[in-house]
């Protein structure tokens, strides 16, 4: 079972990417996918959206898996592994999560996966304002990424995209950077890149 | 902004109508609620967080989110806007930095009261 951990601030487009990626894996590669949705509220919204697309999804609510409900996440992962054993387990964290804490949790306490890749989405159109209000959080999210998804590029100009790529490259020089507009169809070659191990 | 941490407010209701209402009308009502929230909870026109809602009626659904004023993002089942509904569930989640939770709760109640579709008919939580 390969784990794809999706992080990134609230409204950065994580679910939009996940929906397209899951569809690509199931339809193009005929692989099995399960999804864990973590939402900080008592009631989820994104899990319902994902379930409406016919995808297997398990919700973990009322807290953040990076620090508050770590046990619930581990339980959900183990249950999915024993019940379904999918090729891919996609974990969508809350937008307030610090992905590196989830990575540490999985590396230390979960033995049932073969690989773990962290993808972090960023809303290109709100980056400046997010940094003004929540810099430690959004920077820590980027620094945990194996791949940074610069999303919503349709809402900014080319120069801004170039500047963001440069800034993100300096914040995390180990991460690959993929630019996209997840509100439209993401090209199959980009989806393939997301799952390359 | 008065508060550096994110605050979370959720509301989950079931709306029962006394006559069928088109999905488009329901969508417009949800957009009105989200826009009212966004106009009062933004920072330089951006939501530092997100404001999301989903309405479901069986297999039909519409999810609307707001992160950048004035535009909303909509994901919906193909049939939503063409069909009519007499009952649906509605969940609204607000997670925003910089405001007290009581302010979010007050604005949410205000937004619902300002939207006739959500307060002129039976609402059950």
């Amino acid at each position: 079972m390969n784990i794809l951990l999706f992080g990134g601030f609230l409204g950065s487009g994580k679910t939009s990417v996940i929906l397209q990626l899951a569809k690509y894996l199931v339809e193009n590669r005929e692989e099995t996918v399960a999804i864990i949705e973590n939402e900080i509220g008592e009631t989820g919204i994104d899990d319902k959206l994902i379930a409406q697309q016919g995808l297997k999804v398990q919700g973990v609510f009322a807290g953040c898996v990076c620090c508050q409900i770590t046990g619930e996440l581990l339980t959900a992962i183990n249950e999915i592994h024993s019940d379904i054993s999918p090729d891919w387990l996609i974990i969508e964290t809350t937008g307030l999560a610090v992905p590196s804490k989830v990575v540490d949790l999985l590396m230390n306490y979960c033995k049932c996966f073969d690989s773990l890749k962290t993808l972090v989405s960023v809303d290109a159109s709100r980056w400046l304002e997010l940094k003004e209000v929540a810099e430690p959080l959004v920077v820590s999210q980027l620094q945990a990424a194996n791949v940074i998804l610069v999303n919503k590029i349709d809402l900014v100009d080319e120069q801004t995209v170039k500047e963001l790529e440069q800034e993100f490259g300096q914040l995390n020089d180990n991460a690959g950077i993929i630019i996209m507009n997840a509100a439209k169809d993401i090209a199959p070659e980009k989806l393939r890149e997301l799952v390359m191990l | 902004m008065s508060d550096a941490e994110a605050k979370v407010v959720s509301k989950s209701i079931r709306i029962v109508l006394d006559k069928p209402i088109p999905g488009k009308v329901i969508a417009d009502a949800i957009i009105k609620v989200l826009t009212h929230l966004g106009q009062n909870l933004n920072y330089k026109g951006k939501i530092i967080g997100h404001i999301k809602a989903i309405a479901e009626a069986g297999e039909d659904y519409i999810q609307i989110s707001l992160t950048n004023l004035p535009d909303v993002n909509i994901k919906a089942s193909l049939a939503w806007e063409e069909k009519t509904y007499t009952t649906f569930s509605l969940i609204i989640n607000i997670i925003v930095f910089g405001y007290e939770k009581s302010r979010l709760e007050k604005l949410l109640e205000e937004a619902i009261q300002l939207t006739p579709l959500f307060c002129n008919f039976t609402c059950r939580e």
Side-chain angles (χ1 to χ4, degrees), chain A residues 47-67:
Chain A
D47 66 308
K48 292 178 175 45
L49 184 66
I50 292 170
Q52 288 279 6
Q53 306 298 313
L55 294 162
K56 293 186 190 62
V57 59
Q58 184 161 331
V60 179
F61 303 131
C64 181
V65 293
C66 84
C67 51

Side-chain angles (χ1 to χ4, degrees), chain B residues 56-113:
Chain B
E56 283 183 293
E59 290 181 350
D60 299 332
Y61 69 92
I62 184 163
Q63 192 234 43
I64 304 176
S65 61
L66 176 62
T67 52
N68 270 305
L69 283 169
D71 300 319
V72 294
N73 184 270
I74 299 175
K75 295 182 177 77
S77 55
L78 288 172
W80 179 267
E81 296 220 338
E82 287 141 19
K83 286 168 77 169
T84 60
Y85 304 95
T86 52
T87 182
F88 59 93
S89 64
L90 177 66
I91 301 171
I92 302 172
N93 278 354
I94 309 168
I95 307 178
V96 178
F97 279 72
Y99 297 89
E100 296 294 330
K101 186 169 176 171
S102 56
R103 175 99 178 113
L104 270 57
E105 289 165 339
K106 182 168 177 284
L107 281 168
L108 180 52
E109 284 310 313
E110 191 177 278
I112 289 173
Q113 290 304 314

Side-chain angles (χ1 to χ4, degrees), chain A residues 81-101:
Chain A
H81 181 254
S82 63
D83 295 348
I84 309 173
S85 192
D87 297 305
W88 297 94
L89 172 60
I90 297 174
I91 301 172
E92 180 177 353
T93 65
T94 81
L96 303 178
V98 179
S100 58
K101 291 188 180 179

Side-chain angles (χ1 to χ4, degrees), chain B:
Chain B
M1 301 185 103
S2 63
D3 189 325
E5 291 184 358
K7 296 297 189 288
V8 182
V9 165
S10 272
K11 193 169 184 77
S12 187
I13 56 179
R14 171 155 286 281
I15 295 181
V16 180
L17 307 168
D18 60 5
K19 63 178 181 184
I21 298 287
K24 171 117 183 34
V25 173
I26 297 170
D28 288 344
I30 295 172
I31 290 170
K32 192 173 170 184
V33 169
L34 265 54
T35 301
H36 180 79
L37 293 167
Q39 283 169 346
N40 288 279
L41 295 172
N42 73 90
Y43 175 74
K44 299 182 180 180
K46 318 284 182 181
I47 308 300
I48 308 301
H50 72 217
I51 302 169
K52 274 190 193 178
I54 188 166
E56 283 183 293
E59 290 181 350
D60 299 332
Y61 69 92
I62 184 163
Q63 192 234 43
I64 304 176
S65 61
L66 176 62
T67 52
N68 270 305
L69 283 169
D71 300 319
V72 294
N73 184 270
I74 299 175
K75 295 182 177 77
S77 55
L78 288 172
W80 179 267
E81 296 220 338
E82 287 141 19
K83 286 168 77 169
T84 60
Y85 304 95
T86 52
T87 182
F88 59 93
S89 64
L90 177 66
I91 301 171
I92 302 172
N93 278 354
I94 309 168
I95 307 178
V96 178
F97 279 72
Y99 297 89
E100 296 294 330
K101 186 169 176 171
S102 56
R103 175 99 178 113
L104 270 57
E105 289 165 339
K106 182 168 177 284
L107 281 168
L108 180 52
E109 284 310 313
E110 191 177 278
I112 289 173
Q113 290 304 314
L114 287 171
T115 312
L117 189 69
F118 297 155
C119 55
N120 286 349
F121 304 98
T122 307
C123 298
R124 288 197 300 267
E125 293 197 45

Side-chain angles (χ1 to χ4, degrees), chain A residues 2-191:
Chain A
N2 299 300
I3 294 182
L4 296 172
L5 179 66
F6 272 81
F9 194 72
L10 301 152
S12 61
K14 297 184 291 294
T15 309
S16 298
V17 177
I18 286 169
L19 284 171
Q20 292 196 52
L21 179 59
K23 189 174 172 203
Y24 163 77
L25 290 169
V26 169
E27 293 181 4
N28 292 47
R29 290 162 61 133
E30 296 183 349
E31 291 174 318
T32 53
V33 177
I35 300 167
I36 291 176
E37 272 293 310
N38 175 214
E39 292 202 44
I40 209 155
E42 297 283 338
T43 315
I45 285 184
D46 290 337
D47 66 308
K48 292 178 175 45
L49 184 66
I50 292 170
Q52 288 279 6
Q53 306 298 313
L55 294 162
K56 293 186 190 62
V57 59
Q58 184 161 331
V60 179
F61 303 131
C64 181
V65 293
C66 84
C67 51
Q68 296 166 318
I69 50 173
T70 53
E72 282 87 337
L73 175 64
L74 292 171
T75 301
I77 293 172
N78 288 328
E79 278 176 1
I80 286 170
H81 181 254
S82 63
D83 295 348
I84 309 173
S85 192
D87 297 305
W88 297 94
L89 172 60
I90 297 174
I91 301 172
E92 180 177 353
T93 65
T94 81
L96 303 178
V98 179
S100 58
K101 291 188 180 179
V102 183
V103 171
D104 289 344
L105 178 75
L106 297 182
M107 296 300 281
N108 286 319
Y109 296 106
C110 186
K111 306 295 174 197
C112 62
F113 61 92
D114 300 304
S115 72
L116 171 60
K117 189 169 180 179
T118 303
L119 302 106
V120 174
S121 61
V122 180
D123 179 346
S125 69
R126 288 187 296 157
W127 174 248
L128 289 178
E129 289 81 8
L130 295 182
K131 259 203 319 182
E132 286 175 19
V133 178
E135 183 167 5
L137 173 62
V138 293
V139 167
S140 72
Q141 290 173 340
L142 285 182
Q143 288 176 331
N146 298 122
V147 181
I148 295 170
L149 311 177
V150 184
N151 190 23
K152 307 195 188 184
I153 58 166
D154 54 306
L155 300 179
V156 297
D157 57 37
E158 271 186 45
Q159 182 59 30
T160 301
V161 174
K162 286 195 179 108
E163 287 167 3
L164 289 176
E165 284 185 278
Q166 196 171 17
E167 183 177 353
F168 298 159
Q170 286 170 350
L171 285 172
N172 182 345
D173 57 11
N174 290 320
I177 295 177
I178 299 176
I179 63 170
M180 60 176 52
N181 169 15
K184 295 255 166 24
D185 288 343
I186 302 171
E189 52 270 23
K190 287 195 181 179
L191 292 171

